[in-house]
């Protein structure tokens, strides 16, 4: 499998250009970074006009951006998925200059096929009622794509940001107060707001989504490995020897690197299968689980090397850990997706 992904000149150029694009950007907030990347051709489905023309190139670019700006990469993934939804289930392309956030997850439910949010047609208008959960990066959106269930099928509505009221809900979890961003929907939108009707099991969409979530996590995991290696070289123990001289530290860093490389190969394999018209939800799910677990474990291992500097709330590394762990629950928890992998094992599905 590894030999299959010795990247050719096209994909190496994709990687080089993405690195240059993110390095050139001077913006100091996620929304501004995303806007500049969109202007440079990123955040679109593969095409001759984008910065890549296949899904493997798209995956490599997403990973590269995530190494430097993981939150921006996560927002770009939503832009790509929004375009996928509009192209496959709707009436064409969305406005490529606007930032979209996909609101599918609900309190207690991340399955797009079992939604509690309801859409009712009131003779020319749609009434949408329900609750949705928001991630931090969703707050950068100009418009929200809301999944809702009518009597027979799932519909997707485009709603401007100003019509969405975000509430911060405090919940007590295991004795700790946790703030959750939540939207309570009770609004009317015109018929034209319905941009897509889902008429299948969303398998291709979920395959692309999980592959791209994996790509973001690989970028995060890479940053954790780099932080770990640099710290091991710079920090001295009580004998004034670099931590990198310790065999235990070497083993830990080697494991981090090996797990990340395994995740990368699975992710590239999944993207390449989409390019060859053989998309596999099984491989995409395995890639997502492997990559997000590797990113989370790598971040925790790097934290052990960084010590108290790693967990300060205002440090960049603290955000990296949050994003790494978030990947394990995004689009459905890894525990749920392991159950799906098991079902594929039993059925011997591709």
């Amino acid at each position: 499998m590894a030999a299959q992904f010795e990247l050719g000149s096209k994909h190496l150029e994709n990687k080089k250009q993405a690195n240059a694009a993110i390095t050139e950007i001077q913006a100091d907030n996620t929304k501004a970074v995303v806007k500049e990347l969109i202007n440079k051709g990123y955040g679109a489905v593969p095409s001759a006009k984008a910065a890549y023309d296949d899904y493997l190139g798209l995956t490599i670019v997403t990973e590269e951006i995530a190494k430097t700006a993981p939150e921006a990469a996560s927002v770009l993934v939503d832009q790509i998925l929004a375009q996928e939804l509009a192209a496959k289930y709707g009436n064409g392309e969305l406005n490529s200059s606007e930032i979209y956030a996909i609101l599918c997850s609900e309190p207690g439910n991340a399955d797009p096929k079992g939604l509690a949010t309801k859409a009712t047609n009131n003779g020319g208008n749609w009434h949408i009622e329900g609750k949705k959960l928001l991630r931090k990066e969703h707050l950068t959106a100009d418009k929200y794509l809301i999944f809702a269930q009518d009597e027979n099928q799932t519909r997707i509505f485009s709603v401007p940001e100003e019509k969405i009221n975000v509430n911060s809900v405090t919940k007590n979890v295991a004795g700790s107060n946790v703030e959750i961003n939540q939207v309570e929907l009770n609004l009317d939108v015109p018929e034209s707001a319905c941009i897509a009707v889902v008429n299948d099991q969303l398998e291709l969409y979920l395959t692309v989504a999980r592959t791209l979530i994996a790509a973001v996590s690989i970028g995060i995991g890479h940053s954790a490995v780099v932080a770990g290696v640099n710290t091991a070289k710079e920090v001295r123990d009580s004998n004034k020897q670099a931590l990198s001289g310790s065999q235990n530290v070497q083993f830990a860093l080697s494991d981090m690197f090996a797990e990340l490389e395994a995740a990368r190969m699975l992710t590239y394999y999944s993207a390449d299968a989409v390019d060859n018209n053989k998309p596999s939800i099984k491989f995409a799910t395995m890639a997502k689980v492997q990559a997000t677990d590797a990113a989370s474990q790598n971040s925790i291992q790097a934290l052990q090397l960084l010590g108290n500097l790693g967990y300060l709330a205002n440090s960049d590394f603290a955000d990296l850990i949050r994003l790494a762990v978030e990947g394990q629950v995004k689009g459905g928890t890894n525990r749920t997706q392991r159950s799906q992998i098991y079902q594929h094992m039993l059925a011997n599905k591709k």
Side-chain angles (χ1 to χ4, degrees):
M1 187 184 293
Q4 189 173 352
F5 295 110
E6 291 179 3
L7 300 179
S9 58
K10 179 179 74 171
H11 293 126
L12 289 173
E13 187 63 24
N14 288 152
K15 185 174 182 177
K16 179 181 176 182
Q17 289 179 353
N19 183 272
I22 192 66
T23 302
E24 290 169 0
I25 294 175
Q26 301 297 318
D28 59 357
N29 65 79
T30 298
K31 185 166 187 172
V33 171
V34 171
K35 288 283 190 181
E36 288 204 37
L37 285 169
I38 288 174
N39 290 336
K40 291 175 181 287
Y42 297 93
V45 293
S47 72
K49 295 180 181 179
Y52 33 79
D53 58 10
D54 57 23
Y55 283 91
L56 180 54
L58 168 58
T59 300
I60 291 164
V61 161
T62 301
E63 174 193 341
E64 199 64 23
I65 292 171
K67 291 176 183 177
T68 302
E71 203 162 90
S74 187
V75 175
L76 285 174
V77 167
D78 262 15
Q79 309 321 295
I80 295 156
L81 296 177
Q83 298 288 351
E84 291 278 6
L85 288 168
K88 182 168 177 58
Y89 302 106
N91 49 13
E93 295 182 358
L94 299 172
N95 185 337
S96 60
S97 66
E98 294 182 307
I99 297 178
Y100 293 88
I102 297 173
L103 298 189
C104 182
S105 295
E106 301 172 337
N109 176 41
D111 184 356
K113 300 185 287 291
L115 297 171
T117 302
K118 301 302 179 185
T120 307
N121 193 304
N122 293 329
N125 289 326
W126 285 95
H127 181 74
I128 305 172
E129 190 167 351
K131 295 180 180 179
K132 297 292 184 184
L133 297 176
L134 276 80
R135 302 191 305 273
K136 179 183 174 184
E137 60 265 28
H138 280 154
L139 301 176
T140 63
D142 299 314
K143 288 186 177 178
Y144 291 94
L145 298 188
I146 298 172
F147 279 66
Q149 189 76 26
D150 69 6
E151 291 182 357
N152 303 307
Q153 52 204 348
T154 301
R155 292 180 178 271
I156 303 172
F157 297 89
S158 176
V159 180
E161 175 269 336
E162 59 267 20
K163 294 194 71 172
I164 299 294
N165 294 318
V166 179
N167 300 315
S168 183
V169 179
T170 301
K171 293 192 175 183
N172 188 280
V173 180
S176 299
N177 289 329
V178 178
E179 284 196 0
I180 300 172
N181 289 323
Q182 184 173 289
V183 172
E184 293 193 17
L185 299 165
N186 188 3
L187 54 88
D188 293 306
V189 296
E191 188 84 37
S192 59
C194 180
I195 64 153
V197 178
V198 178
N199 51 18
D200 61 19
Q201 297 300 304
L202 285 168
E203 190 159 305
L204 177 60
Y205 167 79
L206 292 174
T207 298
V208 174
R210 290 172 187 174
T211 302
L212 294 179
I213 291 170
V216 173
S217 293
I218 291 167
I220 293 170
H222 172 89
S223 297
V225 171
V226 170
V229 170
N230 289 341
T231 302
K233 289 179 179 178
E234 295 169 5
V235 175
R236 297 291 188 266
D237 61 18
S238 57
N239 296 318
K240 297 185 179 180
Q241 299 296 312
L243 292 181
S244 58
S246 164
Q247 198 171 57
N248 285 337
V249 172
Q250 292 170 7
F251 286 173
L253 291 171
S254 296
D255 284 344
M256 290 164 66
F257 180 73
E259 290 297 319
L260 194 66
E261 283 299 298
R264 181 179 280 115
M265 290 302 101
L266 261 177
T267 303
Y268 287 3
Y269 186 92
S270 178
D272 190 62
V274 176
D275 286 329
N276 288 297
N277 296 316
K278 296 179 180 178
S280 170
I281 189 71
K282 178 180 75 173
F283 282 115
T285 304
M286 290 193 296
K288 189 264 186 184
V289 169
Q290 176 73 17
T292 55
D293 280 356
S296 180
Q297 288 301 314
N298 284 5
S299 299
I300 292 168
Q301 288 283 4
L303 176 63
Q304 300 298 318
L305 294 170
L306 285 166
N308 61 356
L309 293 177
Y311 66 79
L312 294 175
N314 61 349
S315 74
D316 290 339
F317 199 78
D319 274 344
L320 197 73
I321 293 174
R322 175 183 62 80
L323 289 166
V325 174
E326 185 181 84
Q328 293 178 299
V329 298
K330 188 184 295 183
T333 66
N334 281 5
R335 184 179 292 270
T336 299
Q337 295 193 1
R338 281 186 168 88
S339 295
Q340 294 174 7
I341 293 168
Y342 179 69
Q343 294 303 319
H344 282 285
M345 286 170 53
L346 294 182
N348 195 27
K349 293 180 181 178
K350 293 184 179 180

